[in-house]
């Protein structure tokens, strides 16, 4: 047994519904027995109860649950920072040409390994990862993900219209590839499969039917796609799918369920929100991407009032990097800019970056907070010597204030160690 001594913070309850959601220990002890969390509390109390546990001294550090990225694209690391274009032009001119390069499995392997390294460096231990259009690139990605020991849910991306023909496959090919990947990788170690039409803009009804069939191929498969991100995209979907709204293009194929995660949802109608809430579908809020590619200000209050579950996604490469801490800051700022915005607290940000993601990914029984019995996935954050963060933390009046400083200032240079199931990855 190992007893980690640090300042601890987690959200065992939902801060959108509970005032006492945030639990912190200034001088805390996190007791880990092999892959699981056994206990959490004041360091002195936990130590008195388990005097034989080996103490790992992380004083001057903060420990939070492993961060969960609920929407990120593995082939897009090298397009981060593409300026001056909105979604469809951004896809056409820079992003999809890069994704075409993953037809080369050797390149796909290199990109996959690199991507997973960046997740870990940023403290992300679990992710829902938008894949590649190429089956062999997905075998490379899943192999690298298995080697990384991270908790990864991913899938091959399907398209059969619009965009670039090199990225198309027929619905029959998509079914065969999806079935092969599910057989090989779904529920293998920490991997799971999610069915991923790129978006209904680039998928015919036949293709979405295939998605529906794959979704029920085995229990536990998730559905993941994009929705209501950009006005021109929405207009195009309604025209191509001949649908009154974007959600309907998925609904008509039974793709809106409690196992569905939709990225963006920047411009939903009230009816779409009500239907997503009723179905129990989740939204991955990608704050930095929504700002960077000019998609719009996320209507968090409307989602909350409708009862739609939300988590955070970095949406690399539309997003501006892998840090879920930065994504929390961006979410905070995007709300502050709106008259109707939610005043997010550090507890909300921590929840959105951890437990909310675990819930969206249906992993809440295993990860997301430090409840006894959960998997020991956690991140040790420490301000670099001489950094602005170190200075700010030294004057912090409370743990909540320290968390606010971490979301604002801590980035990959402050991620000291990352643990998944009690095992150190960094
Ligand atoms: N919609 C369809 N594909 C993409 C993508 O790669 N990134 C974003 N942000 N939106 C999309
Ligand atoms: Zn995306």
């Amino acid at each position: 047994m190992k007893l980690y001594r640090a300042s601890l913070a987690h959200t065992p309850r939902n801060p959108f519904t509970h005032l006492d959601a945030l639990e912190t220990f200034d001088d805390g002890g996190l007791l880990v027995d092999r892959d699981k969390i056994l206990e959490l509390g004041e360091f002195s109390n936990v130590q008195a109860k388990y005097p034989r546990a080996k103490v790992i001294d992380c004083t001057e550090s903060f420990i939070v649950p492993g961060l969960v990225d609920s929407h990120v694209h593995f082939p897009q690391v090298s397009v981060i920072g593409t300026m001056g274009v909105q979604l469809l032009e951004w896809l056409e001119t820079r992003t999809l040409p890069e994704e075409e390069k993953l037809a080369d499995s050797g390149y796909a392997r290199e990109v996959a390994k690199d991507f997973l390294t960046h997740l870990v460096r940023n403290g992300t231990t679990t992710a829902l990862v938008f894949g590649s259009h190429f089956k062999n690139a997905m075998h490379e990605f899943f192999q690298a993900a298995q080697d990384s020991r991270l908790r990864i849910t991913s899938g091959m991306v399907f398209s059969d219209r619009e965009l670039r023909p090199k990225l198309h496959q027929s619905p029959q090919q998509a079914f065969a590839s999806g079935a092969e990947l599910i057989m090989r990788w779904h529920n293998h170690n920490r991997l799971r499969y999610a069915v991923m039409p790129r978006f209904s803009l680039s998928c015919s009804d036949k293709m979405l039917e295939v998605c529906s069939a794959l979704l029920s191929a085995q229990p536990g498969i998730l559905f993941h796609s994009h929705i209501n991100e950009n006005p021109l995209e929405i207009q195009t979907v309604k025209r191509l799918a001949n649908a009154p709204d974007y959600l309907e293009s998925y609904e008509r194929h039974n793709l809106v369920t409690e196992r569905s995660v939709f990225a963006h949802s920047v411009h939903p109608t009230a009816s779409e929100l009500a239907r997503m809430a009723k179905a129990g579908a989740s939204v991955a809020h990608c704050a930095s991407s929504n700002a960077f590619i000019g998609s719009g200000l996320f209507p968090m209050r409307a989602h909350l009032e409708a009862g739609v579950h939300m988590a955070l996604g970095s949406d690399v490469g539309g997003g501006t990097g892998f840090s879920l801490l930065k994504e929390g800051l961006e979410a905070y700022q995007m709300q502050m800019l709106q008259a109707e915005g939610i005043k997010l607290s550090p507890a909300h940000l921590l929840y959105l970056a951890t437990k909310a993601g675990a819930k969206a990914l249906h992993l809440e029984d295993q990860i997301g907070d430090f409840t006894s019995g959960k998997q020991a996935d956690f991140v040790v954050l420490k301000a670099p010597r001489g950094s602005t963060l170190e200075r700010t933390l030294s004057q912090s009046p409370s743990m909540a204030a320290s968390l606010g400083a971490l979301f604002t200032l801590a980035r990959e240079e402050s991620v000291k160690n990352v643990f998944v199931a009690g095992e150190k990855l960094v």
Side-chain angles (χ1 to χ4, degrees):
M1 280 190 295
K2 288 181 179 155
L3 176 54
Y4 294 87
R5 180 176 193 175
S7 295
L8 301 174
H10 73 145
T11 49
R13 290 163 293 275
N14 177 352
F16 291 106
T17 51
H18 291 75
L19 287 174
D20 63 344
L22 181 66
E23 186 171 53
T24 64
F25 298 95
D26 218 338
D27 183 13
L30 180 71
L31 186 70
V32 173
D33 186 15
R34 277 163 295 184
D35 60 330
K36 289 198 174 65
I37 289 156
L38 209 59
E39 194 146 332
L40 154 100
E42 292 295 345
F43 173 75
S44 54
N45 292 347
V46 183
Q47 195 189 30
K49 202 164 154 191
Y50 298 92
R52 300 230 304 272
K54 180 171 181 222
V55 175
I56 315 284
D57 186 9
C58 307
T59 42
E60 292 184 38
S61 299
F62 289 80
I63 291 183
V64 297
L67 304 173
V68 180
D69 193 338
S70 59
H71 181 66
V72 57
H73 295 251
F74 102 77
Q76 294 182 7
V77 186
S78 59
V79 307
I80 296 172
T82 300
M83 293 185 173
V85 275
Q86 290 206 350
L87 179 64
L88 298 183
E89 199 183 350
W90 174 84
L91 283 170
E92 182 57 33
T93 57
R94 180 79 192 272
T95 304
L96 299 181
E98 173 62 24
E99 293 206 15
E100 281 182 0
K101 288 161 61 182
L102 275 79
D104 173 347
S105 297
Y107 184 62
R109 185 181 320 135
E110 185 189 315
V111 171
K113 285 187 186 165
D114 195 47
F115 168 87
L116 293 156
T117 304
H118 293 302
L119 286 188
V120 181
R121 280 199 186 145
N122 283 276
T124 298
T125 53
T126 296
L128 178 54
V129 180
F130 231 79
S132 163
H133 288 272
F134 302 102
K135 183 185 75 181
N136 289 340
M138 287 314 299
H139 279 301
E140 295 293 349
F141 178 70
F142 276 120
Q143 183 62 56
Q146 178 163 279
D147 296 345
S148 77
R149 291 167 288 163
L150 294 168
R151 298 183 201 277
I152 299 292
T153 305
S154 187
M156 181 169 159
V157 181
F158 297 153
S159 280
D160 66 343
R161 70 180 177 200
E162 303 292 313
L163 310 185
R164 298 166 75 90
K166 272 197 190 159
L167 299 176
H168 289 176
Q169 59 281 104
S170 70
Q172 293 78 4
Q173 285 168 335
F175 184 81
S177 300
E180 176 182 316
L181 289 163
I182 288 168
M183 286 288 288
R184 173 72 184 85
W185 299 108
H186 180 58
N187 279 339
H188 275 245
N189 299 311
R190 295 175 191 148
L191 307 178
R192 295 178 311 162
Y193 195 84
V195 177
M196 299 185 182
R198 183 153 208 127
F199 49 170
S200 53
L201 187 151
S202 72
C203 292
S204 68
D205 280 289
K206 275 260 169 318
M207 186 63 101
L208 295 175
E209 247 174 62
V210 159
C211 291
S212 182
L214 286 172
L215 199 53
S216 47
Q218 276 188 34
I221 296 176
L222 297 188
F223 177 77
H224 187 36
S225 197
H226 297 90
I227 200 163
N228 284 320
E229 181 175 1
N230 165 289
L232 181 58
E233 170 218 19
I234 297 167
Q235 207 182 72
T236 312
V237 166
K238 290 204 269 188
R239 178 170 54 80
L240 291 175
N242 192 22
D245 59 36
Y246 206 139
L247 190 68
E248 213 263 354
S249 63
Y250 296 120
E251 273 173 332
R252 63 167 79 130
H253 299 289
N254 302 316
L255 297 172
V256 184
T257 75
E258 73 288 344
R259 304 200 74 84
S260 306
V261 181
F262 291 102
H264 301 287
S265 191
V266 182
H267 308 282
T269 64
S271 163
E272 287 176 294
L273 288 177
R275 281 142 56 207
M276 281 199 279
K278 185 157 184 238
S282 297
V283 161
H285 171 31
C286 306
S288 77
S289 168
N290 293 345
F292 190 83
I293 54 176
S295 301
L297 292 168
F298 180 69
M300 186 176 281
R301 183 175 299 282
H303 283 75
L304 265 184
E305 287 176 356
V308 179
H309 179 69
M310 295 168 286
L312 287 184
S314 69
D315 194 31
V316 159
T320 56
F322 287 95
S323 173
L324 264 297
L325 298 172
K326 179 173 62 62
E327 215 51 55
L329 173 68
E330 298 265 357
Y332 170 81
Q333 292 177 153
M334 294 303 129
Q335 292 309 303
M336 288 300 280
L337 284 170
Q338 301 178 63
E340 288 288 293
I342 303 283
K343 292 263 181 309
L344 294 171
S345 66
H348 289 109
L349 302 190
L350 185 62
Y351 172 77
L352 285 167
T354 57
K355 188 165 175 158
K359 181 171 155 61
L361 271 63
H362 286 252
L363 292 171
E364 204 186 356
D365 58 335
Q366 294 176 49
I367 57 156
D369 62 42
F370 292 143
T371 307
S372 170
K374 284 201 177 178
Q375 291 283 294
D377 289 13
F378 58 97
V379 184
V380 184
L381 299 167
K382 188 168 197 293
R385 283 271 168 261
S387 64
T388 312
L389 177 61
E390 183 185 47
R391 172 70 191 155
T392 306
L393 288 173
S394 73
Q395 304 300 316
S396 174
S398 67
M399 275 292 285
S402 298
L403 263 185
L406 289 168
F407 274 98
T408 307
L409 289 165
R411 298 294 174 259
E412 60 187 51
E413 65 284 353
S414 300
V415 174
K416 187 140 181 274
N417 296 139
V418 179
F419 293 80
V420 173
E423 199 185 345
K424 185 148 78 172
L425 302 188
V426 175

